[in-house]
Amino acid sequence: VLTGKSLTCRAQNIQLTVVADGAALDFMDVMDISNLFGNALDNAIEACARLPEHANKRIDLLLMQDDHSFFCRLSNTAPPRSDNTFTTSKADKINHGFGLQNIRDALANYGAEPLIEQEGETFSLSFNIVLQ
């Protein structure tokens, strides 16, 4: 997932910073990893693409694990919002707008929910999974 998204970021002049140990994801199903991180990074890339060309476009992904939990925080620059509904910005709302629901569904498999926030031009999605 990261290889493809990093190439997309490079092509769109988006700075992608990842601090992660891939082995920390060993407890997750491959499909959940793909749905979770694929959708989150796609959303972040699309948000950065809506910024003016001269803007500082960046995506930061942090994955950490200790003996008891797994933590993830993805933040990115994004156009400011007047509300916190976080619905699709695409015109075709029938065939788009499933990314955050896919993220919620993947996290539900591990008893977790995303925390989604935006302050100014910084959007963040974070979650904590308690390990069994």
Side-chain angles (χ1 to χ4, degrees):
V1 173
L2 283 176
T3 301
K5 302 305 178 194
S6 66
L7 293 172
T8 301
C9 286
R10 188 175 306 136
Q12 295 187 27
N13 198 29
I14 299 169
Q15 178 185 349
L16 174 63
T17 303
V18 178
V19 177
D21 175 5
L25 297 170
D26 283 348
F27 72 96
M28 292 184 88
D29 181 81
V30 173
M31 288 305 295
D32 289 333
I33 292 170
S34 179
N35 281 328
L36 179 60
F37 294 102
N39 280 295
L41 287 165
D42 282 344
N43 289 348
I45 291 167
E46 289 174 15
C48 286
R50 290 193 309 271
L51 291 167
E53 189 163 328
H54 66 279
N56 178 20
K57 300 176 184 184
R58 69 172 214 311
I59 300 171
D60 300 311
L61 177 61
L62 170 66
L63 304 175
M64 298 182 341
Q65 182 178 350
D66 62 21
D67 292 339
H68 307 286
S69 65
F70 173 82
F71 175 77
C72 172
R73 182 165 200 264
L74 183 142
S75 62
N76 59 274
T77 50
R81 291 181 170 267
S82 58
D83 60 27
N84 285 327
T85 58
F86 302 112
T87 57
T88 186
S89 60
K90 295 178 181 169
D92 181 4
K93 300 200 185 316
I94 292 174
N95 293 307
H96 296 281
F98 302 105
L100 286 177
Q101 187 58 51
N102 289 338
I103 290 168
R104 285 184 180 95
D105 291 345
L107 288 174
N109 293 331
Y110 306 93
E113 294 182 16
L115 174 62
I116 301 166
E117 303 174 297
Q118 182 159 350
E119 187 173 317
E121 288 190 345
T122 301
F123 172 91
S124 67
L125 178 144
S126 59
F127 60 88
N128 191 54
I129 296 174
V130 176
L131 301 174
Q132 304 287 332

